[in-house]
Amino acid sequence: MAQNPSPTPLLFDRALLLQRQRRAAALGSVNFLLERVVEDMNDRLAAVMRDFEAAADIWTPGEGLQPGLRRRLPSVAHIAPPDSGAEVLPLANASLDLAVSALALQFVNDLPGVLAQIRRALKPDGLLLAAMIGGDTLAELRQSFAAAEAECEGGVSPRVVPFADLRDVGALLQRAGLALPVTDVDRVVVRYDNAFALMGDLRRMGATNILLERRRGPTRRTTLLKMAQVYAERFADTDGRIRATFDIIWLSAWAPHESQQKPLKPGSAKVSLAEAVKRGTKG
């Protein structure tokens, strides 16, 4: 008898994420990454020569993308995540021409499942365009905390969330049944006076540790000071300011439609690779 597939492992406390985001808004959010994404998304949508009558913004923090995309999209429905942290989208099948999302999908426990829901919500030839944090984001902070905890506490606890890389995201788009997937990375390097200034910005982004396996007690002062020292020793520029890396992964794909370009079937090429190489070397 076939066994039921194992449930998706839970990495993130999504209810805590919403609390942290609301706290960040009350403190005064730090939005430089979101502002960069909005500007880039406007440029990317401007290159798509079509009108989008039914568009939804999926789980973008705060007010969502509607204020920043007004010049390209007159109306975008903002889908806010439920307070429970559940990963269910209230979208009817084949109801959207466009689905967008900014800086939200990196905190999803079941990303393949959410992408499959988006795929079902798109009309044929509908577009998904999203930006999520991934790659080597905050690698400097992760390494500095690991070194400090190993020295001060004799062990390492999870501090920075595990981010998907570019290849993984492209494969997930295909797995969800989306066509013509494209992914690329926008690397942003931000400089700070010290590690504590970086951590202050992360708090006001609502992006502090929400891992279910996180350490629940307060971090020891000696560990924090050692982390800041290691960060400054390993990742500072000549002027003493430290670097923090943020990788924004862009993903786009389309709901399948018969009008879309299809890949050639194996063996259908009219010219062999050897013949193409010969032609290319002539002259």
Side-chain angles (χ1 to χ4, degrees):
M1 179 181 295
Q3 295 182 346
N4 292 329
S6 58
T8 301
L10 298 180
L11 296 176
F12 308 118
D13 185 339
R14 289 185 54 79
L16 178 61
L17 170 66
L18 295 178
Q19 294 175 22
R20 298 272 174 86
Q21 290 176 341
R22 288 167 182 159
R23 182 184 68 180
L27 292 172
S29 298
V30 171
N31 291 322
F32 65 87
L33 287 178
L34 183 58
E35 290 168 359
R36 185 184 182 100
V37 166
V38 169
E39 182 178 357
D40 202 351
M41 189 169 287
N42 270 306
D43 291 342
R44 291 170 186 253
L45 286 172
V48 182
M49 306 304 293
R50 68 169 60 187
D51 294 326
F52 298 106
E53 296 181 0
D57 171 12
I58 296 170
W59 295 345
T60 297
E63 297 180 358
L65 291 166
Q66 169 68 10
L69 297 182
R70 281 199 184 105
R71 73 172 186 259
R72 181 64 177 84
L73 299 173
S75 177
V76 184
H78 184 209
I79 309 299
D83 289 343
S84 65
E87 298 179 351
V88 178
L89 296 173
L91 296 170
N93 289 349
S95 60
L96 297 177
D97 300 304
L98 173 68
V100 293
S101 180
L103 308 186
L105 298 182
Q106 69 272 7
F107 296 129
V108 170
N109 285 302
D110 183 14
L111 185 54
V114 169
L115 290 175
Q117 292 181 67
I118 295 172
R119 157 71 184 88
R120 289 192 292 270
L122 288 172
K123 299 176 183 178
D125 211 28
L127 173 64
L128 165 64
L129 179 61
M132 60 185 287
I133 297 298
D136 291 330
T137 295
L138 297 177
E140 304 92 345
L141 184 62
R142 180 188 290 111
Q143 293 176 36
S144 299
F145 257 124
E149 286 188 320
E151 178 174 328
C152 299
E153 304 186 24
V156 177
S157 63
R159 294 279 183 172
V160 179
V161 303
F163 294 113
D165 65 24
L166 195 66
R167 201 175 315 176
D168 293 337
V169 173
L172 290 178
L173 291 171
Q174 292 180 312
R175 175 177 167 183
L178 291 156
L180 307 176
V182 176
T183 57
D184 62 88
V185 175
D186 176 22
R187 171 160 291 184
V188 183
V189 178
V190 185
R191 302 201 317 143
Y192 290 91
D193 289 338
N194 52 58
F196 299 114
L198 164 62
M199 293 174 68
D201 264 13
L202 294 177
R203 189 172 295 110
R204 293 176 68 172
M205 292 177 186
T208 48
N209 194 351
I210 59 163
L211 289 167
L212 287 169
E213 298 300 324
R214 69 192 182 277
R215 178 177 294 182
R216 302 306 172 107
T219 303
R220 292 166 51 184
R221 176 180 171 82
T222 54
T223 303
L224 285 172
L225 291 175
K226 184 62 180 180
M227 177 277 297
Q229 178 188 343
V230 172
Y231 206 129
E233 290 172 351
R234 297 185 182 180
F235 304 109
D237 292 328
T238 55
D239 61 359
R241 304 190 76 198
I242 64 166
R243 302 180 303 278
T245 298
F246 297 91
D247 280 351
I248 301 171
I249 294 182
W250 281 93
L251 52 146
S252 66
W254 300 80
H257 187 266
E258 60 184 9
S259 67
Q260 293 167 354
Q261 182 178 359
K262 303 294 191 299
L264 292 174
K265 295 180 180 179
S268 63
K270 302 277 199 245
V271 180
S272 69
L273 176 60
E275 182 63 26
V277 172
K278 288 179 182 178
R279 292 181 182 180
T281 56
K282 289 182 179 179

